[in-house]
Amino acid sequence: MYGVINYEVFLITGILLNLIPGADTMYIVGRSIAQGRNAGVYSVLGICSGSLIHTLLVAFGLSIILTKSLILFNIIKIVGVIYLVYLGIKMLLDKTNLSLDSSGSNKQNKRKIYIQGLLTSLTNPKVALFFIAFLPQFIDTKTTGPIPFIILGLTFTFTGLVWCLFIAYFSSFISQKIRGSERMGTYLNKITGIIFIGMGLKLLQTKSPQ
Protein backbone atom coordinates (compact mmCIF):
# COMPACT_ATOMS: atom_id res chain seq x y z
CA MET A 1 0.00 0.00 0.00
CA TYR A 2 1.84 3.05 -1.31
CA GLY A 3 5.17 1.60 -0.22
CA VAL A 4 4.01 0.69 3.29
CA ILE A 5 4.59 -2.87 4.48
CA ASN A 6 3.12 -4.71 7.48
CA TYR A 7 0.68 -1.87 8.08
CA GLU A 8 -1.39 -3.92 10.54
CA VAL A 9 1.70 -4.61 12.63
CA PHE A 10 2.59 -0.92 12.55
CA LEU A 11 -0.93 0.04 13.64
CA ILE A 12 -0.92 -2.32 16.62
CA THR A 13 2.63 -1.38 17.60
CA GLY A 14 1.84 2.31 17.27
CA ILE A 15 -1.20 1.98 19.53
CA LEU A 16 0.84 0.11 22.14
CA LEU A 17 3.60 2.72 22.00
CA ASN A 18 1.06 5.51 22.47
CA LEU A 19 -0.13 3.79 25.63
CA ILE A 20 3.34 4.06 27.18
CA PRO A 21 3.54 7.26 29.29
CA GLY A 22 6.10 9.77 28.09
CA ALA A 23 6.88 13.48 28.30
CA ASP A 24 3.92 14.37 26.07
CA THR A 25 1.55 12.32 28.22
CA MET A 26 2.80 13.97 31.40
CA TYR A 27 2.36 17.41 29.84
CA ILE A 28 -1.25 16.62 28.92
CA VAL A 29 -2.03 15.11 32.32
CA GLY A 30 -0.49 18.10 34.08
CA ARG A 31 -2.47 20.62 32.06
CA SER A 32 -5.72 18.65 32.35
CA ILE A 33 -5.50 18.20 36.10
CA ALA A 34 -4.39 21.75 36.88
CA GLN A 35 -6.48 23.70 34.38
CA GLY A 36 -9.32 21.50 33.23
CA ARG A 37 -10.61 19.74 30.15
CA ASN A 38 -10.19 22.61 27.67
CA ALA A 39 -6.55 23.06 28.65
CA GLY A 40 -6.02 19.33 28.23
CA VAL A 41 -7.62 19.30 24.79
CA TYR A 42 -5.57 22.24 23.56
CA SER A 43 -2.39 20.68 24.89
CA VAL A 44 -3.30 17.49 22.97
CA LEU A 45 -3.83 19.49 19.77
CA GLY A 46 -0.45 21.17 20.27
CA ILE A 47 1.34 17.87 20.87
CA CYS A 48 -0.30 16.25 17.83
CA SER A 49 0.54 19.25 15.65
CA GLY A 50 4.15 18.76 16.67
CA SER A 51 3.88 15.10 15.72
CA LEU A 52 2.61 16.09 12.27
CA ILE A 53 5.54 18.47 11.81
CA HIS A 54 7.96 15.73 12.85
CA THR A 55 6.28 13.47 10.28
CA LEU A 56 6.83 15.99 7.49
CA LEU A 57 10.44 16.59 8.54
CA VAL A 58 11.17 12.86 8.45
CA ALA A 59 9.25 12.42 5.19
CA PHE A 60 11.37 15.02 3.44
CA GLY A 61 14.61 13.94 5.06
CA LEU A 62 15.23 16.97 7.24
CA SER A 63 15.15 15.23 10.63
CA ILE A 64 18.04 13.00 9.57
CA ILE A 65 20.22 16.04 10.25
CA LEU A 66 19.68 15.42 13.97
CA THR A 67 21.50 12.10 13.69
CA LYS A 68 24.38 13.71 11.79
CA SER A 69 24.88 16.94 13.70
CA LEU A 70 25.82 16.60 17.37
CA ILE A 71 25.77 20.38 17.77
CA LEU A 72 22.23 20.74 16.39
CA PHE A 73 21.03 17.83 18.50
CA ASN A 74 22.40 19.38 21.68
CA ILE A 75 21.04 22.82 20.81
CA ILE A 76 17.52 21.46 20.37
CA LYS A 77 17.85 19.41 23.54
CA ILE A 78 19.05 22.36 25.63
CA VAL A 79 16.31 24.60 24.23
CA GLY A 80 13.75 21.95 25.16
CA VAL A 81 15.16 21.58 28.67
CA ILE A 82 15.22 25.35 29.26
CA TYR A 83 11.67 25.70 27.95
CA LEU A 84 10.23 22.93 30.14
CA VAL A 85 12.05 24.14 33.25
CA TYR A 86 10.88 27.69 32.50
CA LEU A 87 7.26 26.53 32.32
CA GLY A 88 7.70 24.58 35.55
CA ILE A 89 9.20 27.48 37.47
CA LYS A 90 6.56 29.83 36.10
CA MET A 91 3.77 27.58 37.41
CA LEU A 92 5.51 27.15 40.77
CA LEU A 93 5.70 30.91 41.23
CA ASP A 94 2.18 31.57 39.95
CA LYS A 95 -0.16 32.14 42.91
CA THR A 96 -3.34 32.29 40.85
CA ASN A 97 -5.76 29.44 40.25
CA LEU A 98 -5.83 28.99 36.49
CA SER A 99 -8.94 27.30 35.20
CA LEU A 100 -10.02 27.45 31.58
CA ASP A 101 -13.31 25.81 32.43
CA SER A 102 -14.36 28.69 34.64
CA SER A 103 -14.42 31.26 31.85
CA GLY A 104 -15.51 31.21 28.25
CA SER A 105 -13.29 34.10 27.16
CA ASN A 106 -9.82 32.61 27.52
CA LYS A 107 -8.85 32.38 23.85
CA GLN A 108 -5.42 33.81 24.56
CA ASN A 109 -4.73 31.22 27.27
CA LYS A 110 -5.97 28.41 25.01
CA ARG A 111 -3.70 29.62 22.23
CA LYS A 112 -0.80 29.82 24.66
CA ILE A 113 -1.37 26.25 25.87
CA TYR A 114 -1.61 25.01 22.28
CA ILE A 115 1.68 26.69 21.37
CA GLN A 116 3.33 25.35 24.53
CA GLY A 117 2.23 21.83 23.62
CA LEU A 118 3.55 22.31 20.09
CA LEU A 119 6.92 23.57 21.34
CA THR A 120 7.12 20.77 23.90
CA SER A 121 6.91 18.27 21.05
CA LEU A 122 9.18 20.13 18.62
CA THR A 123 11.96 20.74 21.15
CA ASN A 124 12.09 17.09 22.16
CA PRO A 125 14.77 15.43 19.97
CA LYS A 126 13.66 12.02 21.25
CA VAL A 127 10.45 12.40 19.23
CA ALA A 128 12.33 13.11 16.01
CA LEU A 129 14.73 10.23 16.64
CA PHE A 130 11.77 7.94 17.30
CA PHE A 131 10.22 8.77 13.95
CA ILE A 132 13.55 8.33 12.18
CA ALA A 133 14.15 4.90 13.74
CA PHE A 134 10.59 3.55 13.82
CA LEU A 135 8.87 4.52 10.57
CA PRO A 136 11.48 3.17 8.09
CA GLN A 137 10.97 -0.34 9.46
CA PHE A 138 7.54 -0.40 7.81
CA ILE A 139 8.50 1.08 4.45
CA ASP A 140 9.46 -0.94 1.38
CA THR A 141 13.13 -0.31 0.63
CA LYS A 142 12.29 -0.11 -3.07
CA THR A 143 9.97 2.83 -2.46
CA THR A 144 11.10 6.42 -2.82
CA GLY A 145 9.34 9.61 -1.89
CA PRO A 146 7.61 10.98 1.20
CA ILE A 147 4.19 9.29 0.82
CA PRO A 148 4.88 6.17 2.97
CA PHE A 149 6.32 8.30 5.78
CA ILE A 150 3.30 10.60 5.68
CA ILE A 151 0.84 7.68 5.77
CA LEU A 152 2.57 6.10 8.77
CA GLY A 153 3.05 9.42 10.52
CA LEU A 154 -0.62 10.35 10.11
CA THR A 155 -1.66 6.93 11.40
CA PHE A 156 0.54 7.21 14.47
CA THR A 157 -0.60 10.77 15.12
CA PHE A 158 -4.29 9.85 14.80
CA THR A 159 -4.04 6.94 17.23
CA GLY A 160 -2.08 9.19 19.57
CA LEU A 161 -4.77 11.87 19.25
CA VAL A 162 -7.51 9.47 20.30
CA TRP A 163 -5.55 8.17 23.28
CA CYS A 164 -4.38 11.61 24.42
CA LEU A 165 -7.91 13.02 24.24
CA PHE A 166 -9.03 10.17 26.47
CA ILE A 167 -6.24 11.03 28.91
CA ALA A 168 -7.20 14.71 28.88
CA TYR A 169 -10.89 14.01 29.49
CA PHE A 170 -10.24 11.38 32.15
CA SER A 171 -7.65 13.47 34.01
CA SER A 172 -9.87 16.55 34.05
CA PHE A 173 -12.88 14.48 35.12
CA ILE A 174 -11.24 12.95 38.17
CA SER A 175 -9.87 16.33 39.28
CA GLN A 176 -12.99 18.40 38.56
CA LYS A 177 -14.18 18.58 42.16
CA ILE A 178 -10.69 19.23 43.43
CA ARG A 179 -10.28 22.19 41.08
CA GLY A 180 -13.37 23.74 42.64
CA SER A 181 -11.19 24.76 45.55
CA GLU A 182 -9.06 27.80 44.78
CA ARG A 183 -6.36 26.70 47.19
CA MET A 184 -6.31 23.17 45.77
CA GLY A 185 -6.19 24.58 42.23
CA THR A 186 -3.07 26.52 43.18
CA TYR A 187 -1.51 23.36 44.62
CA LEU A 188 -2.30 21.48 41.39
CA ASN A 189 -0.59 24.19 39.37
CA LYS A 190 2.52 23.81 41.50
CA ILE A 191 2.45 20.02 41.14
CA THR A 192 2.22 20.51 37.38
CA GLY A 193 5.20 22.85 37.58
CA ILE A 194 7.22 20.16 39.33
CA ILE A 195 6.21 17.68 36.60
CA PHE A 196 7.45 20.07 33.90
CA ILE A 197 10.77 20.56 35.65
CA GLY A 198 11.11 16.78 35.98
CA MET A 199 10.39 16.40 32.26
CA GLY A 200 13.12 18.92 31.50
CA LEU A 201 15.67 17.13 33.67
CA LYS A 202 14.77 13.81 32.08
CA LEU A 203 15.17 15.32 28.62
CA LEU A 204 18.62 16.54 29.64
CA GLN A 205 19.69 12.89 29.95
CA THR A 206 18.88 12.20 26.30
CA LYS A 207 22.01 11.16 24.42
CA SER A 208 22.86 11.73 20.80
CA PRO A 209 22.73 8.65 18.56
CA GLN A 210 26.24 9.39 17.37
Side-chain angles (χ1 to χ4, degrees), residues 36-141:
R37 183 183 62 190
N38 286 342
V41 170
Y42 275 86
S43 65
V44 170
L45 295 177
I47 293 293
C48 289
S49 296
S51 178
L52 291 176
I53 293 176
H54 279 296
T55 296
L56 293 177
L57 291 176
V58 172
F60 293 98
L62 299 179
S63 285
I64 198 68
I65 297 176
L66 279 177
T67 64
K68 302 297 183 181
S69 174
L70 181 61
I71 295 178
L72 179 60
F73 179 90
N74 286 326
I75 289 176
I76 294 177
K77 182 177 71 173
I78 295 301
V79 169
V81 170
I82 293 174
Y83 182 68
L84 288 172
V85 172
Y86 162 77
L87 290 180
I89 294 176
K90 185 177 180 182
M91 295 199 76
L92 283 175
L93 298 177
D94 192 352
K95 298 181 180 180
T96 61
N97 178 30
L98 302 177
S99 177
L100 292 183
D101 287 342
S102 62
S103 173
S105 58
N106 279 319
K107 292 183 179 180
Q108 184 175 1
N109 284 337
K110 294 175 182 178
R111 187 181 303 111
K112 181 185 299 184
I113 290 174
Y114 169 81
I115 294 175
Q116 288 176 348
L118 175 64
L119 293 177
T120 298
S121 177
L122 292 181
T123 56
N124 188 349
K126 293 175 65 175
V127 179
L129 294 177
F130 165 78
F131 275 84
I132 293 173
F134 184 58
L135 299 190
Q137 298 181 43
F138 299 92
I139 295 178
D140 190 340
T141 55

